[in-house]
Amino acid sequence: MAGVAGLHRKMQLLPPPPNTLPRRSFSVDREKTCPLLLRVFTKIGSHHSKEDFAVRGKEPKNEFQIYTWKDATLRELTDLVKEVTPEAKRRHTRLSFAFVFPEKLGHFVVRPVGETFAYGNRKVDDDKPLAQLGFQIGDYLDVAIF
């Protein structure tokens, strides 16, 4: 059974072609479902490298933690990042989201999953929930702010 889980994760290493994710809705009853803890790391100008996550306990310092659900959209997460990161509040700011997780051999992977703008300019990725993007509980979220 572990091989199946490893294969499932391995298949997720390659992002799907743009605009081909299924349009099915994914929702969680937030009143009855316990939220998950999401560790969010931000960086100005680029994503963190996979080496930045290589040593447990020595992850990047610019971290904040939120409780959320797997149906949280990138727009919801954008608004939360703006609350705690002053650089993300600028008018034409673009945010790039990536999941960070260990591969089968334990080395971390940084996989981009979508982009949003701080204000307006709604993009296709705004309404995508974490679950639809392949998020698994325990993954980190890395946010590059441009």
Side-chain angles (χ1 to χ4, degrees), residues 20-132:
T20 61
L21 290 172
R23 289 286 182 200
R24 64 188 160 162
S25 63
F26 178 86
S27 64
V28 171
D29 183 346
R30 293 183 177 191
E31 293 292 320
K32 296 180 180 176
T33 304
C34 183
L36 59 96
L37 178 65
L38 180 61
R39 295 179 68 183
V40 181
F41 299 88
T42 59
K43 185 175 180 182
I44 308 302
S46 69
H47 283 286
H48 289 93
S49 69
K50 62 183 181 180
E51 290 79 18
D52 292 335
F53 297 95
V55 179
R56 184 153 180 100
K58 295 193 179 194
E59 293 86 2
K61 299 291 181 211
N62 48 348
E63 173 187 2
F64 65 94
Q65 299 176 355
I66 59 172
Y67 286 98
T68 190
W69 294 265
K70 288 179 85 171
D71 69 341
T73 64
L74 293 185
R75 170 53 44 197
E76 288 178 272
L77 296 171
T78 295
D79 293 340
L80 291 171
V81 170
K82 286 172 24 182
E83 287 182 25
V84 297
T85 310
E87 296 86 356
K89 294 179 184 179
R90 295 184 317 240
R91 172 81 29 218
H92 299 289
T93 300
R94 178 174 52 95
L95 289 83
S96 175
F97 294 86
F99 295 151
V100 180
F101 54 89
E103 65 178 351
K104 186 176 182 179
L105 299 175
H107 302 290
F108 277 87
V109 174
V110 178
R111 182 173 62 92
V113 294
E115 291 185 349
T116 63
F117 285 94
Y119 297 97
N121 300 325
R122 295 245 178 221
K123 290 190 63 136
V124 176
D125 298 337
D126 278 7
D127 296 325
K128 290 182 181 175
L130 292 173
Q132 183 180 352

Side-chain angles (χ1 to χ4, degrees), residues 1-11 104:
M1 187 57 96
V4 172
L7 177 62
H8 176 71
R9 177 55 99 177
K10 193 172 192 177
M11 291 172 52
K104 186 176 182 179

